Amino acid sequence: MTRTQTGRLIGGIFGFFFIMANAGALPEAVAIPTRMLGVAAFLALVLALRRTRGEQPVTDGGGADFGRNYRYVVAAEVVVGAAGLVVINPVLHAAQATVGWIALVVGLHFFGLAAVWRRPSLCWLAAAMSVCGAVGLVLGAYGSSAAVIALIAGIAPGAMLLGSVLVKRRA
């Protein structure tokens, strides 16, 4: 598997888990089809990656490089994410806001990846996921329902992430 394929698979896995983890907050009549669509999209990605031969052309800069700078971005994401969870849950007692926080941190980390990988197109995904996360944080702070927060800050970013790697694969 090439570096680009590995990067797309990692993105697809995280998008898939965003969808699966947050669909449980939806009513069952919506959760089941949402999960089925998530499974179908992930399987489509895996099949597409299996059919790909060699490195895919990259349209805006470099490919996925999992070196030191990548590890710095991911380490910062983990530290900032964990620090926020320590404040949100036990200090602010706002567990419903954790989905928004996670989406915000994951979205922001894509700005770092855009710089490290010289892929400015990742900034669109970073901005969209960050907005979803920020809105989820606000909704969580104001006591919105778990289903609304999960949809905006969990399922939407997961669909964006999974969809972006499917679109990039076909581009």
Side-chain angles (χ1 to χ4, degrees):
M1 183 174 279
T2 66
R3 291 178 300 145
T4 299
Q5 289 171 315
T6 301
R8 290 190 177 125
L9 182 60
I10 291 169
I13 289 168
F14 278 100
F16 175 73
F17 280 112
F18 258 78
I19 293 167
M20 294 298 125
N22 289 286
L26 301 176
E28 191 172 326
V30 179
I32 292 170
T34 300
R35 285 185 168 137
M36 290 171 61
L37 285 171
V39 168
F42 183 71
L43 289 175
L45 173 65
V46 170
L47 291 173
L49 289 174
R50 281 183 49 105
R51 286 193 300 261
T52 302
R53 298 279 193 272
E55 197 75 31
Q56 289 295 306
V58 176
T59 58
D60 66 344
D65 176 16
F66 299 103
R68 181 177 32 188
N69 290 335
Y70 168 82
R71 290 192 298 271
Y72 288 154
V73 169
V74 172
E77 174 189 26
V78 169
V79 169
V80 170
L85 294 178
V86 165
V87 171
I88 288 170
N89 288 325
V91 176
L92 300 178
H93 307 290
Q96 67 276 16
T98 58
V99 174
W101 177 251
I102 292 167
L104 176 62
V105 172
V106 171
L108 292 173
H109 111 285
F110 277 104
F111 284 115
L113 292 182
V116 167
W117 289 342
R118 296 178 314 281
R119 308 266 313 266
S121 66
L122 285 176
C123 290
W124 290 103
L125 177 63
M129 288 183 71
S130 298
V131 167
C132 287
V135 169
L137 268 174
V138 171
L139 291 172
Y142 284 98
S144 292
S145 73
V148 170
I149 295 168
L151 182 64
I152 292 172
I155 294 168
M160 288 177 206
L161 185 48
L162 189 51
S164 72
V165 294
L166 277 167
V167 168
K168 287 290 184 187
R169 164 55 192 99
R170 292 188 177 139

